[in-house]
Amino acid sequence: ETGVTQSPTHLIKTRGQQVTLRCSSQSGHNTVSWYQQALGQGPQFIFQYYREEENGRGNFPPRFSGLQFPNYSSELNVNALELDDSALYLCASSLSDRGNSPLHFGNGTRLTVT
Amino acid sequence: DAKTTQPNSMESNEEEPVHLPCNHSTISGTDYIHWYRQLPSQGPEYVIHGLTSNVNNRMASLAIAEDRKSSTLILHRATLRDAAVYYCILRDVRAQKLVFGQGTRLTINP
């Protein structure tokens, strides 16, 4: 059984640019959520996709957007990058969007904005 | 918004039990309590979750207070591999919002 994989592992971008991060969910999982983790902090919930539709969102501006594909893989897009967007971006998949469904995390993409 | 409060750090000795507390006084009736742990340079790893009753699995036990305003993760015999940051989070029934606390950094002494 393949776990959650994220690509790329590291990325350096310039302020104002756009970035796309990718996540392949665990086999059989139809729900994907994304998190931003600044250094030394806990992960912050960005949004969640269930069967290709966003069904939950944290306190992040609209320049953070996403997609979920029919195979349940997902993308996180960030436009107009700011220096504060530098963080570890984590993706997690789960069997369903129910609260009793454990999350399975990837190892993240480390984004540096200069 | 419901949130969780955990001690910043705790220390224990190898082969001793560890009790990691979490306060969630604003928990709603449909929030599940989840625990995850994170090693350096890795994503969080699922440990255990529960709603009202105490739960046991091969990794740990979860004790939930009767009023559900607090919970305790119990590692029965700590090993050096249990050293990590432990997060207590609340996940609602539709999981439309998920709140991480700051986590507890657990140090295990040999």
Side-chain angles (χ1 to χ4, degrees), chain B residues 14-25:
Chain B
E14 205 173 3
E15 298 190 5
E16 291 185 355
V18 180
H19 291 236
L20 296 162
C22 180
N23 288 320
H24 28 78
S25 57

Side-chain angles (χ1 to χ4, degrees), chain A residues 6-36:
Chain A
Q6 294 186 242
S7 62
T9 55
H10 295 82
L11 199 53
I12 299 174
K13 289 285 192 177
T14 303
R15 191 171 50 184
Q17 285 187 317
Q18 178 265 342
V19 69
T20 298
L21 309 182
R22 293 179 175 82
C23 172
S24 292
S25 58
Q26 189 163 317
S27 177
H29 288 190
N30 59 23
T31 303
V32 173
S33 49
W34 286 89
Y35 305 83
Q36 180 194 67

Side-chain angles (χ1 to χ4, degrees), chain A residues 37 55 97-99 101 103, chain B residues 34 36 38 91 94-96:
Chain A
Q37 186 173 27
N55 74 342
D97 65 340
R98 299 287 170 173
S101 184
L103 300 169
Chain B
H34 287 237
Y36 293 80
Q38 188 174 23
R91 192 166 190 227
R94 291 298 301 176
Q96 291 182 0

Side-chain angles (χ1 to χ4, degrees), chain A residues 29-33 45 48-51 53-56 68 93-103, chain B residues 30 32 34 91-98:
Chain A
H29 288 190
N30 59 23
T31 303
V32 173
S33 49
F45 175 63
Q48 175 176 274
Y49 279 82
Y50 170 67
R51 293 181 183 255
E53 290 199 7
E54 182 183 304
N55 74 342
Q68 187 180 31
S93 72
S94 54
L95 273 173
S96 78
D97 65 340
R98 299 287 170 173
N100 63 348
S101 184
L103 300 169
Chain B
T30 55
Y32 282 80
H34 287 237
R91 192 166 190 227
D92 72 14
V93 68
R94 291 298 301 176
Q96 291 182 0
K97 193 168 287 185
L98 195 148

